[in-house]
């Protein structure tokens, strides 16, 4: 959920599902409501201040997200003192029911962290190599496969186009009812042409993670859903997380998911449309997982606590390439992204899919974790205030102070 460097003008909106909401909206332009942040050199993590007012600060931030246009929002915190959950707004605009504290939701691009962890475990087992071309195992899977390494797919420096930019994906009410095969979506992206030669710069591409999903299946001989469960979900104790193939429903307690159709006035009555049920085959290895806030926090606890990969692998996962959205989301590693909070750089992930947006970050050892779920995907400039209020919630918890905005 990356945003561009601060400034004073509105930015052009690009409706791209499945990447972080800010990245989808703000890439390539300045941000009018950006925040005073330390320079990148000052982003070494510093201890935050956790006190009695932390929960009140988080609640104020959640309430600000709802005032900015989110129907409802949930935040869950897990740390050495226990767990707590806060909500604001409603789970359903029609009925006004409350957001369930154990709500299930589509975690979108946080899926990439789980897929990347699976790749790292396979690399540790000697079953693949990060710095060999993906074409060694999947010849001709995409143009340039003989030159694009596994590592470049993981950190979005492979130069691949994003299939979600194809005109096929203009309206989630349409493509969310169709079934896609991974090979079909990779071919759509290939037809768009590469963004650049393999290597920097950072160019976010869901296509690369579809190729990684295909690689995992090739190397293991197992379905991706089964391998993610075996390699990550079960070891991390994520009992409420699964990768659907075409199943459209959310079976557990959940908030109704909404989206803003392209070109719709967000202030118009009924502008937000429900889209809880959709065929998630378009998301798969890039942003298809369904989970809840408890399980997401368990993932970062297990990963950063050293239970899933070795220290050297984790160091690689948190060695990031520079993004165009510094200093707010300054780096992307191997399936993980960073947020530049006022007390340092925290690692985790963000995601956006029709119906839901997610923020989830943890401190270095995974001892303090926070996950936010918002039951809307908006692809208009108004989402900026929702996102910045979400960052304020994270900053209130991790740093014990507001995420200070610059004057407009």
């Amino acid at each position: 959920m990356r945003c561009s460097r601060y400034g004073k003008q509105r930015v052009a909106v690009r409706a791209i599902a499945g990447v972080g909401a800010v990245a989808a909206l703000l890439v390539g332009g300045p941000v009018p409501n950006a925040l005073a942040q330390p320079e990148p050199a000052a982003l070494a993590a510093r201890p935050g201040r956790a006190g009695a007012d932390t929960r009140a600060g988080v609640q104020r931030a959640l309430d600000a997200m709802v005032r900015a246009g989110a129907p409802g929002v949930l935040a869950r915190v897990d740390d050495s003192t226990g767990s707590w959950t806060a909500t604001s707004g409603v789970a359903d605009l029609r009925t006004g029911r409350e957001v369930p504290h154990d709500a299930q939701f589509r975690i979108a691009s946080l899926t990439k962290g789980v897929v990347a962890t699976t790749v790292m475990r396979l690399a540790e087992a000697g079953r693949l190599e990060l710095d060999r071309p993906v074409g060694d195992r999947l010849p001709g899977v995409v143009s340039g496969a003989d030159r694009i390494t596994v590592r470049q797919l993981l950190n979005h420096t492979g130069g691949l186009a994003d299939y979600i930019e194809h005109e096929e994906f203009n309206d989630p009410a349409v493509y969310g009812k169709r079934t896609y095969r991974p090979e079909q979506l990779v071919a759509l992206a290939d037809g768009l042409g590469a963004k650049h030669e393999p290597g920097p710069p950072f160019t976010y591409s869901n296509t690369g993670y579809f190729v990684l999903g295909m690689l995992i299946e090739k190397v293991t001989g197992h379905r991706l859903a089964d391998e993610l469960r075996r390699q990550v979900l079960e070891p991390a104790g994520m009992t409420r997380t699964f990768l659907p193939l075409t199943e459209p429903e959310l079976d557990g307690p959940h908030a109704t998911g909404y989206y803003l159709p392209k070109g719709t006035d967000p202030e118009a009555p009924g502008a937000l449309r429900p889209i809880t049920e959709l065929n998630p085959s378009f998301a798969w290895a890039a942003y298809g997982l369904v989970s809840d806030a408890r399980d997401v926090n368990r993932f970062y606890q297990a990963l950063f606590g050293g239970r899933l990969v070795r220290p050297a692998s984790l160091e690689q996962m948190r060695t990031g390439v520079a993004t165009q959205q510094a200093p707010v989301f300054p780096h992307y590693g191997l399936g993980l992204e960073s947020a530049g909070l006022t007390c340092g750089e925290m690692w985790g992930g963000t995601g956006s899919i029709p119906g839901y947006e997610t923020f989830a970050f943890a401190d270095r050892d995974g001892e303090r974790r926070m996950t936010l779920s918002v039951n809307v995907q908006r692809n208009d400039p108004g989402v900026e205030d929702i996102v910045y209020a979400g960052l304020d919630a994270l900053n209130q918890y991790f740093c014990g102070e507001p995420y200070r905005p610059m004057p407009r």
Side-chain angles (χ1 to χ4, degrees):
M1 191 173 287
R2 293 159 300 281
C3 69
S4 55
R5 190 172 296 275
Y6 44 82
K8 296 183 180 179
Q9 300 175 344
R10 277 287 174 194
V11 299
V13 174
R14 294 193 301 129
I16 300 176
V19 305
V22 181
L25 298 174
L26 308 181
V27 167
V31 180
N33 193 26
L35 308 170
Q37 293 296 319
E39 292 300 316
L43 284 176
R46 306 188 300 275
R49 175 178 60 84
D53 58 342
T54 297
R55 192 179 304 204
V58 169
Q59 187 65 60
R60 287 192 296 270
L62 302 187
D63 294 343
M65 296 177 79
V66 173
R67 289 195 302 272
V73 59
L74 174 149
R76 173 168 171 139
V77 161
D78 287 279
D79 56 31
S80 61
T81 67
S83 303
W84 54 268
T85 301
T87 66
S88 187
V90 298
D92 188 280
L93 291 172
R94 183 179 60 85
T95 66
R97 63 185 175 89
E98 295 182 354
V99 177
H101 280 212
D102 57 349
Q104 188 180 71
F105 50 91
R106 302 184 192 280
I107 69 172
S109 288
L110 272 67
T111 302
K112 293 179 173 67
V114 176
V115 170
T117 301
T118 300
V119 170
M120 298 304 287
R121 287 170 63 94
L122 292 173
E124 289 178 349
R127 303 182 71 178
L128 56 81
E129 297 179 37
L130 300 186
D131 294 311
R132 291 190 67 86
V134 67
D136 286 2
R137 295 297 185 91
L138 297 172
V141 64
V142 69
S143 297
D146 59 334
R147 294 176 289 113
I148 301 171
T149 67
V150 174
R151 186 185 303 275
Q152 289 168 338
L153 295 177
L154 288 167
N155 67 12
H156 301 285
T157 60
L160 295 180
D162 196 336
Y163 66 85
I164 207 72
E165 295 179 346
H166 193 280
E167 62 182 8
E168 170 76 12
F169 299 99
N170 285 337
D171 186 354
V174 176
Y175 69 78
K177 295 178 181 178
R178 295 174 176 169
T179 296
Y180 299 94
R181 292 175 291 102
E183 297 83 0
Q184 179 183 4
L185 297 182
V186 171
L188 284 178
D190 210 26
L192 295 173
K195 295 289 188 179
H196 54 79
E197 286 295 306
F202 170 86
T203 305
Y204 195 92
S205 175
N206 290 298
T207 308
Y209 273 77
F210 263 67
V211 175
L212 289 168
M214 296 164 69
L215 176 65
I216 291 169
E217 292 194 335
K218 175 72 172 182
V219 168
T220 66
H222 302 147
R223 295 190 317 159
L224 178 64
D226 295 334
E227 196 65 18
L228 296 184
R229 184 173 61 252
R230 187 177 75 86
Q231 294 280 2
V232 177
L233 305 184
E234 289 181 353
M238 300 170 68
T239 60
R240 304 172 184 171
T241 304
F242 65 97
L243 181 69
L245 295 178
T246 60
E247 301 88 347
E249 297 87 7
L250 297 181
D251 293 331
H254 61 272
T256 299
Y258 294 91
Y259 80 108
L260 183 69
K262 187 175 181 179
T264 300
D265 178 1
E267 302 300 326
L272 298 182
R273 309 284 179 81
I275 194 167
T276 309
E277 295 185 2
L278 51 76
N279 181 328
S281 59
F282 66 87
W284 195 52
Y287 58 115
L289 278 175
V290 172
S291 188
D292 65 7
R294 184 206 70 167
D295 267 17
V296 171
N297 283 349
R298 285 186 173 187
F299 169 63
Y300 292 112
Q301 180 184 36
L303 179 60
F304 296 167
R307 288 164 42 206
L308 295 179
V309 299
R310 298 168 188 162
S313 295
L314 181 58
E315 182 179 0
Q316 291 183 69
M317 294 181 74
R318 291 193 293 208
T319 299
V321 296
T323 75
Q324 297 87 348
Q325 295 80 43
V328 183
F329 294 99
H331 297 107
Y332 197 100
L334 306 184
L336 301 174
E337 63 184 302
S338 69
L341 303 183
T342 62
C343 58
E345 192 168 0
M346 301 292 171
W347 285 89
T350 63
S352 177
I353 190 170
Y356 303 93
E357 292 176 354
T358 309
F359 307 69
F361 290 88
D363 65 6
R364 184 162 187 82
D365 296 325
E367 295 181 357
R368 302 177 66 203
R369 290 95 58 202
M370 184 177 194
T371 293
L372 294 171
S373 173
V374 189
N375 62 330
V376 70
Q377 183 193 60
R378 286 180 53 171
N379 290 311
D380 69 300
V383 76
E384 295 169 11
D385 290 334
I386 297 175
V387 170
Y388 286 122
L391 287 167
D392 185 40
L394 291 164
N395 211 80
Q396 292 280 0
Y397 170 63
F398 285 110
C399 307
E401 63 181 3
Y403 198 59
R404 297 178 294 274
M406 293 176 65
R408 287 184 181 271

